[in-house]
Structures are given as C-alpha cells and as structure tokens.
Amino acid sequence: MINLTDAYDEQNIFAKILRGELPSHKLYEDDATLAFMDIMPQVAGHTLVIPKQPAVTFLDLTAEAAASVMATAKLLAPAIIKAVEAPGFMMAQLNSSYAGQTVPHYHMHILPRHEGLELKFHARDPEDMDVLAALAEKIRAEL
Ligand code: AMP
C-alpha cells in the first residue's frame, strides 16, 4: 500500500534502477532524470520518466524536479510516437495506491495511442526483453 504520507523507501525498484543495481532499457539520462522502457508495457513504446530526486509522489517532488521530468517527457514523447508510428499519446502519473500507483518512486508514463487499440492491463504482462531492447534502440535513434 502506498500512502501520500509514506517516507521514501530506498529499496524500491526504481531507486535500484537509478543506483544501477537493477537493469533497465535506458532511453535517456541527465542530471535530474532517467527515462526507460516499462517492462510490463500497456502498449508498444510505453515509457517511464523518473526524477532522480527521491520522491514518492508528485507532492514530494520539488518544483524543479517536476519541471525536469516534464522537460525529459517533452524530449522523449516525439521520439517515442515516431518510433512506433502512433498518431496520439497519453501521459499519466498515479499518486498513492488509491490512484493505482504500484512503485513508490514518482514517475510519468508516456503511452502511445492508436485508433482501435486498447491499452493492456496496468503492470501485468512482462514483455520479451529482446522486443523491449529493439524498441529502445528505435526510440533512441529518434532522439
Ligand atoms: P505505477 O503503477 O504508476 O506505479 O507504475 C509502475 C510501472 O512500473 C508499471 O507500469 C510497471 O509495469 C512498471 N515496472 C515495474 N517494474 C519495472 C521495472 N523493473 N522496470 C521497468 N518498469 C517496471
């Protein structure tokens, strides 16, 4: 259960990815943010942008960190939709378990959308690692 009042858990999955203790299909990194492929994508190209600031939800983010996440999303979104030839996309972020948040490190989802293509279930079916690696390469090539 993730509550809005929770202290930051240094052992959460994204903290481990930031420390390099867990692998990720990295798309972009700068001083303030990291962007990588979601391993249980709801659609091809599903990307996560996270701040390096240890923040559980939007409420914990500094305004600067929030701006950095948006700047990285602004850089990534055109590359993602070009790579998967999507005519639209969604950006979403969930705050607390009550909103569906499952990882207690703030993150922005970027989800390409296509006509007639429903999103798969949230955080349920792991994608093949080779498929993710190939998609990541395609997106990086558009940056
Ligand atoms: P949320 O439910 O908004 O907290 O979203 C967490 C997202 O992280 C989900 O879309 C999961 O599929 C994704 N996810 C969980 N573990 C990993 C991981 N190790 N690498 C990349 N994405 C992950």
Side-chain angles (χ1 to χ4, degrees):
M1 182 67 80
I2 302 169
N3 289 297
L4 293 177
T5 51
D6 284 353
Y8 186 76
D9 171 11
E10 295 286 350
Q11 298 311 317
N12 79 75
I13 295 168
F14 295 170
K16 290 182 179 178
I17 287 176
L18 279 172
R19 291 195 296 268
E21 295 167 11
L22 282 178
S24 69
H25 297 279
K26 198 186 287 188
L27 298 174
Y28 173 81
E29 182 170 16
D30 60 24
D31 287 349
T33 65
L34 176 70
F36 51 96
M37 306 302 295
D38 193 305
I39 53 166
M40 292 171 272
Q42 292 184 257
V43 62
H46 185 168
T47 295
L48 301 172
V49 179
I50 70 173
K52 290 189 175 175
Q53 186 196 352
V56 181
T57 73
F58 185 69
L59 298 182
D60 305 309
L61 272 185
T62 61
E64 290 76 15
S68 298
V69 168
M70 291 307 278
T72 297
K74 195 107 177 74
L75 188 75
L76 267 289
I80 296 164
I81 59 175
K82 201 160 174 209
V84 300
E85 295 176 26
F89 68 103
M90 271 167 54
M91 285 175 35
Q93 58 94 186
L94 315 175
N95 299 284
S96 87
S97 296
Y98 301 95
Q101 184 178 1
T102 58
V103 178
H105 181 110
Y106 177 87
H107 47 281
M108 178 71 77
H109 297 261
I110 302 177
L111 298 142
R113 298 303 306 265
H114 307 261
E115 189 177 354
L117 181 63
E118 295 300 324
L119 293 179
K120 291 191 217 161
F121 281 106
H122 178 66
R124 201 171 79 172
D125 301 319
E127 181 56 277
D128 184 276
M129 288 294 142
D130 291 340
V131 170
L132 288 178
L135 256 174
E137 201 176 321
K138 223 171 156 188
I139 294 168
R140 284 192 300 265
E142 298 292 348
L143 283 173

